[in-house]
Amino acid sequence: MASPLSHPFFYSSTTAFNHQSPPLFLRPATKFRCSAAAAGSETGFFTKLGRLIKEKAKKDVEKIFSGGFSKTRDNLAVIDELLLYWNLSDTDRVLDELEEALLVSDFGPKITIKIVESLRDEIYAGKLKSGPEIKDALKKSVLDILTNKGAKTELKLGYRKPAVIMIVGVNGGGKTTSLGKLAHRLKSEGATILMAAGDTFRAAASDQLEIWAERTGCEIVSAEKEKAKASSVLSQAVKKGKEQGFDIVLCDTSGRLHTNYSLMEELIACKKAVAKVVPGAPNEILLVLDGTTGLNMLPQAREFNEVVGITGFILTKLDGSARGGCVVSVVDELGIPVKFVGVGEGVEDLQPFEAEAFVNAIFS
């Protein structure tokens, strides 16, 4: 089952992708070293994989953001009108209305006050002298939060195979769908993927993941009997991944309310189980957040992070009703990056998060 990626020699991109045409960011002559990196090294397959996924998807992310967050854009459109005829004597009134627009867009009171007061200080200090300058400063404030506190948006997959990624979250957030789309994206870069059906609580979850496994051409490990422990399924999957030379094991988990402590404790057991097989695993624990829930995602993020230590967010359902300000609030409070965003059910509808594209989209 070992993939060509496991061999420590150079290979051409066309060989690695078999009969498929190489992606746009690769030229036919391009070669990559695909052995896992030595500890502490900045080279190696996993490092390149995370970086290339991010680079390749930048234009796709801009396309996604142009379609999503229409409600947020509508709420923030008043800012352009406010700033169009701005003058210094109107500063307090304009900033009060700007504050209201940010709150309605779910930026949250803490982050809203922080942004508005920073603008106020710069205006009265004579640093901002026109409406366009104020808007640029507003956008920069938001971008700075996302890039300073949520800068590490690439997947961190370590240097030991298999890399293990756990997907967690509440019911209905889109965990299994996100896992399937992530598998497609990773496999399209040449990684061999093994799925683990760790949602043993919901009867149809394993069937749903099997559909995604078939759809993406990935292998899957499911529970051999009813009411199996999720930790044993994940342990079995990671063992298989290790023995058969898979690059990445993607672990689904049961959806759970962040207030259900027994189910939250099960996540701890899952985390410990995979670590016994591969020291340092899981490499990533990604929390799926429903983009339509607004600031309700904050308590979820707090609890999951406290229990298992979240390494990144997947923000789903970025349709017209998604409230974009909540993204900034979650990153600001927890200092955890948004790593992927998604809209729709298609296998291509999960893209790495791009902070600048997001800011441009909501303030367009």
Side-chain angles (χ1 to χ4, degrees), residues 1-210:
M1 189 61 225
S3 76
L5 298 169
S6 61
H7 298 295
F9 53 74
F10 286 89
Y11 70 104
S12 70
S13 59
T14 50
T15 299
F17 290 86
N18 298 320
H19 62 281
Q20 299 175 358
S21 60
L24 295 178
F25 58 83
L26 295 182
R27 296 179 179 178
T30 302
K31 297 176 185 291
F32 292 98
R33 184 178 297 280
C34 289
S35 59
S41 172
E42 290 299 318
T43 60
F45 171 60
F46 288 139
T47 302
K48 290 180 184 296
L49 180 65
R51 185 172 65 247
L52 292 174
I53 285 175
K54 185 175 176 64
E55 290 172 355
K56 181 183 178 185
K58 188 168 183 178
K59 290 183 179 178
D60 295 328
V61 174
E62 291 169 352
K63 191 185 301 180
I64 280 184
F65 284 146
S66 68
F69 292 122
S70 59
K71 183 175 182 179
T72 304
R73 273 197 299 275
D74 289 345
N75 289 334
L76 295 176
V78 67
I79 293 174
D80 288 326
E81 186 178 336
L82 287 170
L83 297 177
L84 184 61
Y85 301 109
W86 172 86
N87 60 65
L88 189 59
S89 63
D90 282 340
T91 294
D92 289 337
R93 178 187 63 82
V94 167
L95 290 181
D96 284 347
E97 294 192 40
L98 189 151
E99 180 178 304
E100 184 179 344
L102 293 175
L103 289 171
V104 168
S105 300
D106 271 0
F107 273 80
K110 179 183 173 184
I111 197 68
T112 295
I113 292 170
K114 181 178 176 180
I115 291 171
V116 170
E117 290 309 309
S118 174
L119 291 176
R120 191 188 309 276
D121 291 344
E122 290 192 68
I123 289 170
Y124 284 121
K127 296 178 181 179
L128 303 176
K129 300 177 181 178
S130 68
E133 287 183 359
I134 295 172
K135 184 174 181 181
D136 286 344
L138 170 61
K139 291 172 66 174
K140 185 178 183 301
S141 295
V142 176
L143 184 59
D144 284 349
I145 292 167
L146 293 173
T147 53
N148 293 335
K149 293 197 173 185
K152 299 179 180 179
T153 58
E154 294 177 9
L155 285 175
K156 303 298 181 183
L157 300 178
Y159 58 90
R160 184 184 285 113
K161 293 185 181 182
V164 180
I165 301 175
M166 278 178 59
I167 308 294
V168 303
V170 301
N171 288 308
K175 290 188 318 305
T176 304
T177 300
S178 295
L179 188 152
K181 290 188 282 190
L182 181 57
H184 170 76
R185 178 161 289 282
L186 292 169
K187 189 178 179 185
S188 71
E189 305 306 334
T192 54
I193 307 298
L194 179 63
M195 295 182 178
D199 185 351
T200 57
F201 187 76
R202 186 167 59 95
S206 181
D207 293 339
Q208 185 184 358
L209 194 63
E210 284 182 7

Side-chain angles (χ1 to χ4, degrees), residues 266-329:
E266 184 188 75
L267 279 183
I268 300 174
C270 290
K271 184 178 179 180
K272 289 179 178 178
V274 299
K276 286 181 180 178
V277 183
V278 177
N283 305 83
E284 292 271 10
I285 302 178
L286 303 180
L287 173 61
V288 176
L289 295 171
D290 183 338
T292 66
T293 61
L295 286 175
N296 288 328
M297 66 173 61
L298 258 175
Q300 293 176 28
R302 289 189 198 111
E303 291 294 333
F304 275 95
N305 186 48
E306 187 174 327
V307 172
V308 289
I310 302 302
T311 60
F313 300 119
I314 298 177
L315 190 64
T316 64
K317 304 181 185 179
L318 299 188
D319 56 11
S321 61
R323 292 177 281 183
C326 56
V327 179
V328 186
S329 292

